[in-house]
Amino acid sequence: MNYTEFVHAVETMINQRKEGGLKATVYTAVKNNDTRRTGVILETPGINLSPTIYLEEFYESYLGGKTINEIVDELLETYEKIKKDESWDYEKIFDFQKVRERIVYRLVNTEKNEQMLQDVPHREILDLSLIYYVLLNASEKGTTAMLISDRHMDQWKTTEEILWSEADRNTRRLLMAECFTMQYAMSELLGAAGKEARREQNLLESEEKGEDKMYVLSNRARSNGAACMIYPYVLRMMGDILEEDFYILPSSIHVILVPASAGISVAEMEKMVCEINETQVPEEEILGSHVYRYSRKNKTISMGGKAYQVKEETK
């Protein structure tokens, strides 16, 4: 049984059980970079919550020997946990005043997301586009968020300019930027970095650059950290710490900063980005293959003859 057949088998069994009127519907979502994921939407009469649960992990369990009945039991347990999660009242989604403090932004590749961008409010920044989300939950384990579409904007009777104003303030408050030496970032990735050292190793707080020639910029949740490159103060601070211009190598999880004096050519860095994208980054998480340069003097991010003026902090 392939994955598509498995998803339909799960849908059929849930609908045959009819537990509490629960209904399952197969759904395919267009995700970042035009990737597609198929799962099931679960709906119960009288409950205004219809989560989409993607089934890749459940399919792996099926291939490992579990029966469809056992898989559906696990799936329904997951659904019950979602219903009991009181960390967010989903009724708030319908009221702009109740979600405006949670509106944030992220960056995606414009060319790879042409279809999605037709239906969501956004603004272009060089070869990237800034899109908006409602941040439902954020922790070191990741984030849960709802993409804001034109439909939501119409429902809320708001504008993209208002979304930008809210997200500009909220994103850096809810997803605070952190920057570390590559050495510390690798130790954190391997689980060898103590949490107590995290704050003192954060260059944006300690303002000491260390000895590395590469630095990793992300947010506390380590989710869509590339957005930090347009926070008003971050690149200016890093320019002051490094005392020179620097290059920005993109990834959706984080970005890598390379001082201009490191002696690595743009062609070499772009080759490095392409190789990492091809071998280590899931298609859904690829941000781009171009390298950007930050100018301390002009406070701009440039690429291919185009420049973006980084917004300065207002008091």
Side-chain angles (χ1 to χ4, degrees), residues 60-120:
E60 289 296 323
S61 296
Y62 170 75
L63 294 178
K66 287 192 175 181
T67 66
I68 295 292
N69 263 313
E70 291 172 325
I71 296 294
V72 169
D73 287 340
E74 290 184 9
L75 185 62
L76 295 181
E77 286 179 12
T78 300
Y79 178 55
E80 289 301 317
K81 289 179 182 178
I82 293 173
K83 288 197 298 182
K84 292 177 181 177
D85 182 4
E86 299 178 353
S87 62
W88 175 256
D89 178 3
Y90 289 85
E91 292 289 343
K92 293 180 180 178
I93 293 295
F94 302 101
D95 187 339
F96 180 69
Q97 297 304 320
K98 293 180 179 178
V99 301
R100 65 189 308 164
E101 295 295 320
R102 290 176 176 257
I103 293 174
V104 298
Y105 61 70
R106 63 172 290 194
L107 295 173
V108 299
N109 183 282
T110 300
E111 183 178 357
K112 288 178 176 288
N113 290 277
E114 286 182 318
Q115 181 177 346
M116 179 185 69
L117 293 173
Q118 293 176 11
D119 302 313
V120 302

Side-chain angles (χ1 to χ4, degrees), residues 46-306:
I47 298 179
N48 190 29
L49 173 63
S50 305
T52 299
I53 301 180
Y54 300 105
L55 305 180
E56 288 89 350
E57 291 185 11
F58 293 97
Y59 184 56
E60 289 296 323
S61 296
Y62 170 75
L63 294 178
K66 287 192 175 181
T67 66
I68 295 292
N69 263 313
E70 291 172 325
I71 296 294
V72 169
D73 287 340
E74 290 184 9
L75 185 62
L76 295 181
E77 286 179 12
T78 300
Y79 178 55
E80 289 301 317
K81 289 179 182 178
I82 293 173
K83 288 197 298 182
K84 292 177 181 177
D85 182 4
E86 299 178 353
S87 62
W88 175 256
D89 178 3
Y90 289 85
E91 292 289 343
K92 293 180 180 178
I93 293 295
F94 302 101
D95 187 339
F96 180 69
Q97 297 304 320
K98 293 180 179 178
V99 301
R100 65 189 308 164
E101 295 295 320
R102 290 176 176 257
I103 293 174
V104 298
Y105 61 70
R106 63 172 290 194
L107 295 173
V108 299
N109 183 282
T110 300
E111 183 178 357
K112 288 178 176 288
N113 290 277
E114 286 182 318
Q115 181 177 346
M116 179 185 69
L117 293 173
Q118 293 176 11
D119 302 313
V120 302
H122 64 279
R123 53 179 58 194
E124 294 187 7
I125 298 174
L126 301 177
D127 63 334
L128 307 176
S129 286
L130 181 152
I131 59 177
Y132 303 96
Y133 281 78
V134 176
L135 186 65
L136 304 177
N137 186 42
S139 70
E140 293 182 5
K141 295 182 179 180
T143 60
T144 305
M146 181 193 79
L147 175 65
I148 295 175
S149 66
D150 290 339
R151 178 174 55 84
H152 292 113
M153 195 164 59
D154 292 341
Q155 184 180 51
W156 294 334
K157 294 181 174 54
T158 191
T159 65
E160 188 276 334
E161 191 64 35
I162 291 175
L163 292 179
W164 161 249
S165 178
E166 298 292 341
D168 180 44
R169 179 182 68 255
N170 296 335
T171 309
R172 45 200 161 105
R173 174 178 60 85
L174 298 173
L175 298 168
M176 292 182 67
E178 295 183 336
C179 189
F180 302 101
T181 62
M182 179 63 76
Q183 180 180 1
Y184 177 84
M186 290 302 296
S187 66
E188 181 182 82
L189 182 64
L190 296 171
K195 290 186 177 181
E196 65 279 357
R198 184 165 170 170
R199 179 168 182 172
E200 63 185 49
Q201 293 290 334
N202 180 9
L203 275 65
L204 297 174
E205 297 204 23
S206 66
E207 299 189 15
E208 295 181 6
K209 64 179 180 180
E211 300 298 325
D212 276 15
K213 292 297 183 182
M214 289 187 178
Y215 303 86
V216 177
L217 173 66
S218 189
N219 55 43
R220 286 184 178 177
R222 303 294 189 264
S223 177
N224 301 316
C228 295
M229 65 190 276
I230 60 170
Y231 288 11
Y233 60 91
V234 169
L235 300 190
R236 173 178 52 78
M237 282 187 67
M238 286 307 302
D240 292 342
I241 292 169
L242 300 176
E243 300 181 330
E244 59 179 306
D245 292 0
F246 54 86
Y247 293 98
I248 305 169
L249 282 59
S251 169
S252 69
I253 303 301
H254 53 246
V255 292
I256 297 172
L257 310 183
V258 180
S261 64
I264 308 174
S265 70
V266 172
E268 288 177 305
M269 286 186 284
E270 291 194 341
K271 181 180 179 181
M272 183 191 311
V273 171
C274 289
E275 289 177 350
I276 292 173
N277 284 344
E278 290 175 1
T279 61
Q280 300 180 38
V281 182
E283 177 65 30
E284 187 179 333
E285 295 179 1
I286 293 175
L287 186 61
S289 57
H290 296 294
V291 170
Y292 312 93
R293 179 171 178 135
Y294 177 72
S295 167
R296 293 183 70 201
K297 178 181 179 181
N298 301 322
K299 295 182 176 59
T300 56
I301 305 170
S302 59
M303 183 215 74
K306 297 180 180 179

